[in-house]
PDB file of all heavy atoms in Angstrom:
ATOM      1  N   ARG A  11     125.834  99.675 122.619  1.00  0.00           N
ATOM      2  CA  ARG A  11     124.901  98.571 122.395  1.00  0.00           C
ATOM      3  C   ARG A  11     125.396  97.735 121.227  1.00  0.00           C
ATOM      4  O   ARG A  11     125.841  98.281 120.213  1.00  0.00           O
ATOM      5  CB  ARG A  11     123.510  99.129 122.067  1.00  0.00           C
ATOM      6  CG  ARG A  11     122.427  98.077 121.879  1.00  0.00           C
ATOM      7  CD  ARG A  11     121.125  98.725 121.461  1.00  0.00           C
ATOM      8  NE  ARG A  11     121.194  99.218 120.081  1.00  0.00           N
ATOM      9  CZ  ARG A  11     120.310 100.031 119.520  1.00  0.00           C
ATOM     10  NH1 ARG A  11     119.293 100.494 120.242  1.00  0.00           N
ATOM     11  NH2 ARG A  11     120.439 100.409 118.266  1.00  0.00           N
ATOM     12  N   VAL A  12     125.321  96.405 121.365  1.00  0.00           N
ATOM     13  CA  VAL A  12     125.730  95.508 120.281  1.00  0.00           C
ATOM     14  C   VAL A  12     124.653  94.444 120.061  1.00  0.00           C
ATOM     15  O   VAL A  12     124.005  94.014 121.014  1.00  0.00           O
ATOM     16  CB  VAL A  12     127.082  94.820 120.564  1.00  0.00           C
ATOM     17  CG1 VAL A  12     128.213  95.816 120.535  1.00  0.00           C
ATOM     18  CG2 VAL A  12     127.054  94.081 121.889  1.00  0.00           C
ATOM     19  N   PRO A  13     124.457  94.018 118.802  1.00  0.00           N
ATOM     20  CA  PRO A  13     123.431  93.020 118.522  1.00  0.00           C
ATOM     21  C   PRO A  13     123.945  91.585 118.593  1.00  0.00           C
ATOM     22  O   PRO A  13     125.140  91.321 118.427  1.00  0.00           O
ATOM     23  CB  PRO A  13     123.023  93.352 117.078  1.00  0.00           C
ATOM     24  CG  PRO A  13     124.293  93.852 116.457  1.00  0.00           C
ATOM     25  CD  PRO A  13     125.003  94.607 117.566  1.00  0.00           C
ATOM     26  N   ALA A  14     123.026  90.670 118.827  1.00  0.00           N
ATOM     27  CA  ALA A  14     123.306  89.244 118.639  1.00  0.00           C
ATOM     28  C   ALA A  14     123.504  88.972 117.157  1.00  0.00           C
ATOM     29  O   ALA A  14     123.041  89.748 116.295  1.00  0.00           O
ATOM     30  CB  ALA A  14     122.143  88.403 119.169  1.00  0.00           C
ATOM     31  N   THR A  15     124.169  87.887 116.841  1.00  0.00           N
ATOM     32  CA  THR A  15     124.439  87.558 115.440  1.00  0.00           C
ATOM     33  C   THR A  15     124.317  86.059 115.195  1.00  0.00           C
ATOM     34  O   THR A  15     124.481  85.250 116.110  1.00  0.00           O
ATOM     35  CB  THR A  15     125.850  88.008 115.023  1.00  0.00           C
ATOM     36  OG1 THR A  15     126.813  87.438 115.925  1.00  0.00           O
ATOM     37  CG2 THR A  15     125.975  89.522 115.051  1.00  0.00           C
ATOM     38  N   SER A  16     124.029  85.723 113.957  1.00  0.00           N
ATOM     39  CA  SER A  16     124.096  84.337 113.483  1.00  0.00           C
ATOM     40  C   SER A  16     125.125  84.284 112.373  1.00  0.00           C
ATOM     41  O   SER A  16     125.026  85.037 111.394  1.00  0.00           O
ATOM     42  CB  SER A  16     122.742  83.869 112.936  1.00  0.00           C
ATOM     43  OG  SER A  16     121.778  83.749 113.965  1.00  0.00           O
ATOM     44  N   ALA A  17     126.100  83.404 112.506  1.00  0.00           N
ATOM     45  CA  ALA A  17     127.112  83.241 111.468  1.00  0.00           C
ATOM     46  C   ALA A  17     126.761  82.062 110.571  1.00  0.00           C
ATOM     47  O   ALA A  17     125.913  81.236 110.890  1.00  0.00           O
ATOM     48  CB  ALA A  17     128.485  83.024 112.094  1.00  0.00           C
ATOM     49  N   ASN A  18     127.426  82.013 109.429  1.00  0.00           N
ATOM     50  CA  ASN A  18     127.369  80.919 108.444  1.00  0.00           C
ATOM     51  C   ASN A  18     126.117  80.976 107.565  1.00  0.00           C
ATOM     52  O   ASN A  18     126.224  80.925 106.339  1.00  0.00           O
ATOM     53  CB  ASN A  18     127.465  79.546 109.101  1.00  0.00           C
ATOM     54  CG  ASN A  18     128.724  79.378 109.919  1.00  0.00           C
ATOM     55  OD1 ASN A  18     129.765  79.946 109.592  1.00  0.00           O
ATOM     56  ND2 ASN A  18     128.641  78.602 110.989  1.00  0.00           N
ATOM     57  N   LEU A  19     124.921  81.002 108.172  1.00  0.00           N
ATOM     58  CA  LEU A  19     123.653  81.035 107.421  1.00  0.00           C
ATOM     59  C   LEU A  19     123.552  79.874 106.444  1.00  0.00           C
ATOM     60  O   LEU A  19     123.006  80.001 105.348  1.00  0.00           O
ATOM     61  CB  LEU A  19     123.489  82.371 106.676  1.00  0.00           C
ATOM     62  CG  LEU A  19     123.685  83.642 107.501  1.00  0.00           C
ATOM     63  CD1 LEU A  19     123.372  84.875 106.661  1.00  0.00           C
ATOM     64  CD2 LEU A  19     122.849  83.621 108.766  1.00  0.00           C
ATOM     65  N   GLY A  20     124.077  78.721 106.849  1.00  0.00           N
ATOM     66  CA  GLY A  20     124.056  77.543 105.986  1.00  0.00           C
ATOM     67  C   GLY A  20     125.366  77.396 105.240  1.00  0.00           C
ATOM     68  O   GLY A  20     126.371  76.979 105.820  1.00  0.00           O
ATOM     69  N   PRO A  21     125.403  77.757 103.959  1.00  0.00           N
ATOM     70  CA  PRO A  21     126.596  77.487 103.154  1.00  0.00           C
ATOM     71  C   PRO A  21     127.739  78.477 103.345  1.00  0.00           C
ATOM     72  O   PRO A  21     128.862  78.199 102.940  1.00  0.00           O
ATOM     73  CB  PRO A  21     126.070  77.573 101.725  1.00  0.00           C
ATOM     74  CG  PRO A  21     124.950  78.559 101.800  1.00  0.00           C
ATOM     75  CD  PRO A  21     124.296  78.276 103.126  1.00  0.00           C
ATOM     76  N   GLY A  22     127.486  79.621 103.971  1.00  0.00           N
ATOM     77  CA  GLY A  22     128.507  80.666 104.042  1.00  0.00           C
ATOM     78  C   GLY A  22     129.431  80.503 105.233  1.00  0.00           C
ATOM     79  O   GLY A  22     129.624  81.439 106.024  1.00  0.00           O
TER      80      GLY A  22
END
Side-chain angles (χ1 to χ4, degrees):
R11 183 184 71 193
V12 292
T15 55
S16 292
N18 302 328
L19 309 185

